[in-house]
Amino acid sequence: MTYILGIESSCDETAAAVVLNGTTIASNVVASQIDLHAQYGGVFPEAASRAHVEAIGFVVDNAMRDAGIDFSRLDAIAVTRGPGLVGSLLVGANYAKGLAVATGKPLLGINHLEGHVYSLWLTQPYREVKFPVVILIVSGGHTELLLMTGHGEYQRLGGTLDDAAGEAFDKVGRLLGLPFPGGPNIERAAINGNPQAFDFPRARLEDEYDFSFSGVKTAVMREATVATDGRRNREEHKGVQLRADVSINDIAASFQRAVVQTLVDKTVKAAKAHDATEIFISGGVSANTALRNAMRQQSELPVRYPPLNLCTDNAAMIAAAGYYRFESGLRDGLEMDVRPMWPLNNETYAR
Ligand code: KG4
Ligand code: ZN
């Protein structure tokens, strides 16, 4: 049995987990900062770093205690190296380095997006995956369409040119006066809304696998808000006033339909074009039931997504990705730097 401790602190969750052989979760601890950031209506980077510093010690200790092992039993320590907020990444990376020195265990720097990929391997019983698979990663910070041809082998097919899908949910949620994060709250509002009430635009892009969500966000703003001083299209404009005669539920449902349709169309098309055996979706937005259902309905291939608690940021996925790097003999040194911008593609781990 290979025991990997995973540590994640790239955004607004401080997390640690112990995973066996990249598939079996022995412990999974997540300290969420949602309440902290809700008061700002979004993630406030400096507050995030400070909260990570406060939480990381007990989060790691709890993960070890829940797993019922001590540090000497670990085979390696995997930590998110990027992409993410620099101050937040540093907290996890420095803590992991400290542990690596203190315990003599190898250090593995993991790409956070690869973590979202490996959240799909955290299933029981373990299922063999036949490559290639097409993977859609949709989160608050990322919208990436990938072709995975083997463990650690990624071809980037496309991604967002502006807002990430989750970011669009969060911005529209804020506009509609829903609590942060917008995604789950829009999903809830959409249940009672008419998805056909508005026909929001889909971006037409040069590259068939790229995405753009700023247009639909602007269209929502136009439909839902009163133009008080001609500045309603400016996102930073604080004084937006919702029109009394539009239903928030209808807007939420129509917005969700537009975003889901774009994500599904491109993913299904990519899977066909590349003879994929399965479609994987992961990241916070993959918790969305409308997205899951639409993907299943429109794809002839099996569609897989992680259980809800592994869709959003967690450290089990980092430990799972770490296992495959550990098995292929890769190690990182103590001089490892964090990488706030670090795409996942065929050069991610090229040295
Ligand atoms: O993966 P994640 O925890 O963090 C990043 O790596 O960014 O994703 C968080 C994002 C937020 O934008 C949140 O609004 C969105 O995932 N999200 C959802 C749902 N649950 C979370 N979006 C749509 N529907 C949901 N049910
Ligand atoms: Zn994430």
Side-chain angles (χ1 to χ4, degrees):
M1 275 294 175
T2 303
Y3 283 70
I4 309 269
L5 168 67
I7 297 177
E8 154 66 35
S9 70
S10 66
C11 188
D12 59 345
E13 328 275 358
T14 320
V18 176
V19 171
L20 281 61
N21 285 359
T23 58
T24 308
I25 297 177
S27 66
N28 188 20
V29 178
V30 181
S32 169
Q33 303 176 6
I34 282 188
D35 295 342
L36 168 69
H37 299 294
Q39 56 185 310
Y40 306 109
V43 177
F44 180 29
E46 259 174 57
S49 317
R50 236 172 310 151
H52 285 307
V53 171
E54 281 165 23
I56 194 143
F58 74 77
V59 167
V60 169
D61 288 349
N62 283 356
M64 296 300 293
R65 192 202 56 207
D66 291 356
I69 56 167
D70 57 37
F71 289 107
S72 63
R73 181 62 191 82
L74 292 176
D75 291 279
I77 298 164
V79 64
T80 305
R81 182 181 177 192
L85 301 168
V86 64
S88 293
L89 289 167
L90 279 168
V91 177
N94 287 339
Y95 200 86
K97 285 181 192 177
L99 277 180
V101 171
T103 60
K105 303 294 177 183
L107 178 72
L108 304 163
I110 303 300
N111 183 292
H112 179 85
L113 296 169
E114 186 172 45
H116 279 299
V117 168
Y118 277 96
S119 64
L120 271 312
W121 266 262
L122 292 166
T123 55
Q124 290 302 321
Y126 175 71
R127 250 177 94 256
E128 199 69 50
V129 173
K130 204 164 157 277
F131 294 107
V133 292
V134 158
I135 307 179
L136 175 71
I137 301 176
V138 267
S139 70
H142 306 277
T143 302
E144 296 285 301
L145 194 55
L146 304 165
L147 183 70
M148 186 176 184
T149 50
H151 287 294
E153 293 170 18
Y154 308 97
Q155 187 185 327
R156 185 177 184 274
L157 302 176
T160 185
L161 303 177
D162 41 57
D163 291 347
E167 192 180 356
F169 270 96
D170 294 341
K171 285 179 176 171
V172 168
R174 197 173 332 158
L175 188 79
L176 298 179
L178 300 171
F180 174 83
N185 291 303
I186 286 187
E187 177 168 11
R188 235 165 273 138
I191 292 169
N192 300 312
N194 172 11
Q196 312 291 339
F198 299 91
D199 201 12
F200 291 126
R202 318 282 155 81
R204 292 197 202 296
L205 305 168
E206 216 165 282
D207 202 319
E208 60 180 344
Y209 299 132
D210 278 341
F211 302 89
S212 164
F213 297 110
S214 68
V216 60
K217 181 193 65 195
T218 308
V220 168
M221 172 106 67
R222 201 175 306 122
E223 292 290 351
T225 63
V226 181
T228 44
D229 58 3
R231 291 195 301 146
R232 69 177 174 186
N233 286 342
R234 286 188 42 196
E235 203 193 303
E236 65 271 28
H237 178 37
K238 295 286 191 294
V240 291
Q241 193 188 333
L242 287 177
R243 279 171 51 181
D245 59 335
V246 300
S247 146
I248 288 182
N249 294 345
D250 285 354
I251 294 263
S254 304
F255 163 78
Q256 180 172 268
R257 176 174 68 95
V259 173
V260 163
Q261 208 46 61
T262 306
L263 293 172
V264 170
D265 284 351
K266 299 199 175 207
T267 307
V268 169
K269 196 168 164 195
K272 271 202 190 115
H274 290 91
D275 285 328
T277 62
E278 294 183 272
I279 288 175
F280 288 179
I281 44 178
S282 73
V285 183
S286 71
N288 188 282
T289 309
L291 173 63
R292 292 174 166 205
N293 290 344
M295 196 73 87
R296 272 209 314 259
Q297 276 159 15
Q298 285 173 52
S299 165
E300 288 159 14
L301 300 172
V303 175
R304 293 211 291 145
Y305 32 75
L308 283 181
N309 67 322
L310 300 177
C311 287
T312 46
D313 288 349
N314 64 85
M317 68 186 197
I318 302 302
Y323 171 73
Y324 290 91
R325 281 178 62 69
F326 181 78
E327 284 294 290
S328 47
L330 296 160
R331 306 286 183 265
D332 287 288
L334 292 174
E335 74 292 346
M336 178 184 84
D337 55 354
V338 296
R339 302 196 53 181
M341 317 278 276
W342 194 20
L344 185 59
N345 55 33
N346 56 2
E347 288 176 356
T348 300
Y349 293 115
R351 277 156 200 270

